């Protein structure tokens, strides 16, 4: 599981992930991506954001945090949901989730 740690209200670093499977990097040609984030141990609404395919042939996707994300302090799970034209949705990572921890700042 990949872990990302951000301080509350930080919008950097940009989250970049290479999508790969058992046979290597996944070609993301004709794919759109959505980034899902939801708080662990909370049965509330997911935060659903549009992701960017940076390099289709390299499997590189990006999510740029914005001020409107405003996640509260605590642990989160996240995943990419990728939709290929005429095909079903696939989630990555397929063996779990990205782990995001939002920590409080000093002030």
């Amino acid at each position: 599981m990949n872990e990302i740690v951000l301080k509350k209200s930080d919008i950097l670093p940009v989250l970049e992930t290479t999508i790969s499977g058992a046979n290597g990097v996944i070609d993301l040609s004709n794919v759109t991506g959505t980034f899902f984030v939801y708080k662990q141990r909370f049965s509330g609404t997911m935060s659903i954001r549009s992701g960017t395919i940076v390099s289709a042939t390299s499997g590189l996707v990006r999510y740029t945090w914005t001020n409107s994300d405003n996640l509260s302090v605590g642990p989160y799970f996240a995943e990419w949901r990728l939709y290929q034209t005429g095909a079903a949705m696939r989630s990555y990572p397929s063996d779990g989730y990205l782990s995001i921890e939002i920590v409080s700042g000093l002030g």
Side-chain angles (χ1 to χ4, degrees):
M1 182 180 327
N2 301 314
E3 183 173 32
I4 298 116
V5 178
L6 292 171
K7 285 192 177 177
K8 180 158 177 52
S9 301
D10 281 0
I11 58 173
L12 293 174
V14 170
L15 174 65
E16 287 191 343
T17 305
T18 299
I19 305 297
S20 59
N23 296 322
V25 171
I26 306 292
D27 185 346
L28 301 177
S29 298
N30 300 313
V31 171
T32 58
T34 305
F35 187 60
F36 281 72
V37 179
Y38 50 96
K39 195 162 189 175
Q40 296 178 25
R41 298 180 296 276
F42 178 74
S43 59
T45 304
M46 280 190 247
S47 186
I48 303 168
R49 304 288 190 241
S50 292
T52 303
I53 307 295
V54 177
S55 173
T57 56
S58 298
L60 185 61
V61 293
R62 174 186 297 148
Y63 179 70
T64 303
W65 303 99
T66 67
N67 289 327
S68 64
D69 287 319
N70 198 25
L71 300 174
S72 60
V73 171
Y76 292 80
F77 286 133
E79 67 184 11
W80 289 94
R81 293 189 184 171
L82 303 175
Y83 304 86
Q84 188 164 19
T85 305
M89 181 271 299
R90 292 190 66 178
S91 298
Y92 293 93
S94 58
D95 60 349
Y97 304 97
L98 298 170
S99 176
I100 299 173
E101 182 74 27
I102 305 297
V103 298
S104 58
L106 294 176

